[in-house]
Amino acid sequence: MKILFVVPYPVGKAASQRYRVEQWLPVLQEQTINYKLAPFWDVATLDILYKQGYSFQKLFGLVKGMLRRLLLLSRLPAYDYIFIHREATPVGPPWFEWLAAKVFRKKLIFDFDDAIWMPNTTEDNSMASNYKWHHKIAQICNWSYKVSTGNHFLQRYALNHNPNSVYLPTVINTTVNYSRIKDQQAKRVTIGWIGSHSTLLYLKLIEPVLQQLEQNYSFDFIVVADREPDLKLKSLKFIVWSEATEVESLLQFNIGVMPLPDTEWAKGKCAFKALQYMALGIPAVVSEVGANMTAVPDSLAGYSCTTHQEWYEKLELLLQDADLRAKLGRAGKQWVAQAFSMAAHEQTFLELFT
């Protein structure tokens, strides 16, 4: 069997791709299944893609990516399955997917972990969003052999267009990178958040809560991201994200947070931050939105919140009680191993290619 993974980014550069595609590759090797990855963006373009300016370089990188996709068409006959993570091209109609499915008659596996059929315009993507063709997601689902979705909200959408749509959460390798557990006996407690520039704005939802906590408690608030947050917090510490230090950065947290707005777009999020926290024995405090409600057993491995008052009370409780943090942390680690580990979903992944 030969599988072509059509992915947006170079290897090791994006969390979604690392956890939904790249970490499964050793499983394919164990099954003696051959594969190849075909990124759209090159490293040089990705390095400036989300920075201000560089318009010519970004356009040149886009043209190069489109040419790579055109050249890739000639290699499609060699593969049994074409696995498309999110989309084959970042702008324009789904011409690559149509040709692969309808002309080359290939079995498409379409995988996504966000509500990418909805417009989600930010300052970083405002120009590109005009050319995104969000409605193509329904078409790609319809043309696909199978669809793999990161949560049940996404699966319900996919099922409207393809009955062979399965739930495959973004999972954790609990036996390798996430085998350790946080020691909760700390002199100074740390609340933390990890993510990308695209979700930094969600921290504004709990900024007033953290400001109120600062008036009564001494703690650090660590943000691990690819861009420094704009938060008015005395407790703020910023760590630049890197794949090599990701787990070490997370292990600085005593408490992990994942605020989300109650929107349709947010319901497409797959609660992966919370899973990362819990896998390392760090209790998660999350907004009661979408997949968060499934991922975090309330009061067993962390807490779900809907109001500022609830956020304050739950964070205060955990700031004060190391034994409670340790208890919830152990339960969370066990829960992730049981329900959100690679071992728990390996068969679901492999059955995509049957």
Side-chain angles (χ1 to χ4, degrees), residues 48 196 207 276:
I48 54 95
S196 70
E207 184 178 29
Q276 287 180 286

Side-chain angles (χ1 to χ4, degrees), residues 74-92:
S74 66
R75 304 208 297 271
L76 294 189
Y79 295 93
D80 301 294
Y81 295 92
I82 312 298
F83 186 107
I84 297 175
H85 175 58
R86 295 178 72 92
E87 56 193 357
T89 60
V91 295

Side-chain angles (χ1 to χ4, degrees), residues 58-353:
K58 291 175 185 177
L59 180 60
F60 184 53
L62 179 68
V63 171
K64 286 192 294 182
M66 290 293 186
L67 287 174
R68 277 191 290 271
R69 288 292 183 254
L70 278 171
L71 293 172
L72 190 60
L73 291 173
S74 66
R75 304 208 297 271
L76 294 189
Y79 295 93
D80 301 294
Y81 295 92
I82 312 298
F83 186 107
I84 297 175
H85 175 58
R86 295 178 72 92
E87 56 193 357
T89 60
V91 295
W95 58 269
F96 182 92
E97 292 91 340
W98 184 83
L99 288 170
K102 299 299 184 180
V103 176
F104 289 88
R105 299 290 179 180
K106 289 299 173 179
K107 293 180 177 178
L108 299 190
I109 312 295
F110 183 37
D111 174 77
F112 57 97
D113 61 344
D114 270 320
I116 53 177
W117 66 90
M118 299 180 189
N120 183 47
T121 304
T122 67
E123 185 179 337
D124 293 308
N125 72 0
S126 57
M127 184 177 295
S129 66
N130 296 324
Y131 308 97
K132 286 291 286 182
W133 281 66
H134 299 284
H135 56 282
K136 71 182 178 181
I137 304 306
Q139 295 173 302
I140 302 171
C141 286
N142 182 261
W143 300 333
S144 294
Y145 173 62
K146 293 181 182 178
V147 181
S148 165
T149 60
N151 68 35
H152 294 297
F153 176 78
L154 304 176
Q155 184 191 20
R156 286 193 293 273
Y157 170 84
L159 284 169
N160 289 328
H161 306 286
N162 189 322
N164 294 318
S165 299
V166 301
Y167 163 61
L168 179 62
T170 309
V171 295
I172 301 282
N173 188 335
T174 55
T175 60
V176 183
N177 297 337
Y178 288 80
S179 60
R180 296 156 66 184
I181 188 166
K182 173 68 176 180
D183 179 4
Q184 288 290 352
Q185 300 301 321
K187 290 183 179 178
R188 185 175 177 85
V189 178
T190 293
I191 303 171
W193 179 93
I194 189 169
S196 70
H197 62 274
S198 64
T199 50
L200 272 173
L201 72 164
Y202 297 150
L203 288 174
K204 286 288 185 181
L205 297 171
I206 60 168
E207 184 178 29
V209 175
L210 295 169
Q211 290 171 338
Q212 186 181 355
L213 283 167
E214 284 180 337
Q215 297 174 19
N216 301 311
Y217 298 96
S218 179
F219 61 92
D220 291 326
F221 182 67
I222 293 180
V223 171
V224 182
D226 56 348
R227 185 180 300 175
E228 193 164 356
D230 178 23
L231 296 171
K232 296 177 175 60
L233 295 172
K234 296 178 293 183
S235 59
L236 178 64
K237 292 187 176 181
F238 173 61
I239 297 176
V240 178
W241 176 89
S242 83
E243 183 182 7
T245 59
E246 181 176 63
V247 172
E248 292 300 328
S249 297
L250 284 165
L251 283 167
Q252 295 188 45
F253 301 177
N254 296 100
I255 306 160
V257 295
M258 186 177 176
L260 283 178
D262 190 3
T263 63
E264 293 298 294
W265 173 262
K267 290 174 184 176
K269 293 295 179 184
C270 294
F272 189 65
K273 295 175 180 56
L275 298 178
Q276 287 180 286
Y277 306 148
M278 293 186 294
L280 293 169
I282 302 163
V285 184
V286 303
S287 294
E288 194 173 308
V289 174
N292 283 357
M293 293 186 285
T294 303
V296 183
D298 191 39
S299 301
L300 296 176
Y303 298 106
S304 296
C305 306
T306 57
T307 66
H308 279 179
Q309 184 62 29
E310 288 178 354
W311 272 97
Y312 184 91
E313 290 173 356
K314 301 310 182 186
L315 289 173
E316 180 181 50
L317 194 61
L318 291 168
L319 282 170
Q320 293 176 324
D321 194 336
D323 291 337
L324 177 62
R325 294 196 302 269
K327 177 185 174 183
L328 296 181
R330 288 191 298 270
K333 188 170 184 65
Q334 183 177 357
W335 166 246
V336 171
Q338 172 190 327
F340 291 96
S341 66
M342 288 186 69
H345 292 276
E346 180 176 319
Q347 195 58 36
T348 303
F349 174 74
L350 290 174
E351 286 177 358
L352 292 173
F353 309 102

Side-chain angles (χ1 to χ4, degrees), residues 9-29:
Y9 305 109
V11 172
K13 295 296 184 178
S16 173
Q17 184 174 304
R18 283 189 301 118
Y19 285 100
R20 293 196 66 79
V21 176
E22 295 165 24
Q23 76 169 346
W24 288 114
L25 300 181
V27 172
L28 297 180
Q29 291 172 358

